Amino acid sequence: MDDIADNTLEVTRQENVTRILEAAERLFRHYGYSKTTVADIARDLGMSPANIYRFFASKVEIHQALCGRMLATAYQIAYDIRHQPISASERLRRYVESQHQLTLDLMLDEMKVHEMIIVAIERDWHVIEKHIDRIHDLIAEIIAEGIAAGEFAEQDPVVASRCFGAATNTLCHPQMVAQCLAKTNRASVDELIDYVIRALKK
């Protein structure tokens, strides 16, 4: 019976956490992160701020949880592409294209979401560093398979993954994408992807 009660409490807790995060994301998108308070989130949910603090210690903690959800979505897309039954080159291409599109959809088309991501990046949260490490691991696996198949030149896949990430960062980093989007003297998405894939083959 105790296990059942504990499970029920945990389910209820997760439901409340989800409700708070969904309300916070909706308000952050509408008003912006800096202009939204915990009191605003509580009011939107018809509860007291004290009730919010039972689940999150601060607005920053809510923001971190939302950032984690967005990064989880990005990672899942990359994970699915990594396991597609296609060439390593095509998987790398699809990965960069998908991450670039995700950046455009979630962070630039919705500038309030862009603000949330920029705040997270500037604070150098561990959740972002962990995400980068996990993405590098996936890319290294793809490159290693490309090397084994004779598609890429013999090289250290871990180093190659980090270099690949650095070379394509302008297509996935929200600040860089925002700055370069309207500039005509920058490499296009296809040009940059073609270049870095060619580098792996030499």
Side-chain angles (χ1 to χ4, degrees), residues 46-191:
M47 60 174 65
S48 68
N51 204 25
I52 301 287
Y53 289 123
R54 287 176 53 210
F55 303 96
F56 295 98
S58 64
K59 186 176 80 167
V60 170
E61 198 170 286
I62 294 172
H63 184 192
Q64 286 178 321
L66 283 174
C67 184
R69 289 207 315 184
M70 291 181 189
L71 294 177
T73 298
Y75 178 81
Q76 188 60 51
I77 292 171
Y79 180 88
D80 291 343
I81 291 172
R82 180 258 176 275
H83 290 91
Q84 289 178 354
I86 53 179
S87 71
S89 294
E90 186 57 30
R91 279 181 283 165
L92 291 178
R93 178 180 299 281
R94 291 188 184 182
Y95 159 72
V96 178
E97 288 174 344
S98 69
Q99 296 300 307
H100 179 66
Q101 190 59 52
L102 187 65
T103 302
L104 292 175
D105 292 345
L106 291 182
M107 302 168 194
L108 298 183
D109 288 347
E110 306 236 17
M111 291 308 293
K112 301 300 191 301
V113 178
H114 182 230
E115 177 196 5
M116 290 167 56
I117 298 298
I118 296 308
V119 170
I121 290 171
E122 290 175 346
R123 290 176 176 172
D124 198 25
W125 282 341
H126 71 279
V127 66
I128 294 179
E129 289 304 308
K130 182 179 178 181
H131 172 73
I132 292 171
D133 288 342
R134 295 177 76 202
I135 290 294
H136 281 167
D137 288 344
L138 287 182
I139 298 303
E141 290 171 7
I142 296 174
I143 293 173
E145 290 175 5
I147 294 170
E151 193 177 340
F152 299 145
E154 192 65 38
Q155 58 196 295
D156 184 335
V158 173
V159 173
S161 173
R162 292 172 182 168
C163 292
F164 183 90
T168 58
N169 198 32
T170 56
L171 301 179
C172 306
H173 192 293
Q175 286 171 305
M176 293 183 182
V177 172
Q179 291 169 5
C180 297
L181 199 58
K183 297 184 184 298
T184 58
N185 63 341
R186 301 291 192 272
S188 70
V189 175
D190 288 337
E191 289 169 342

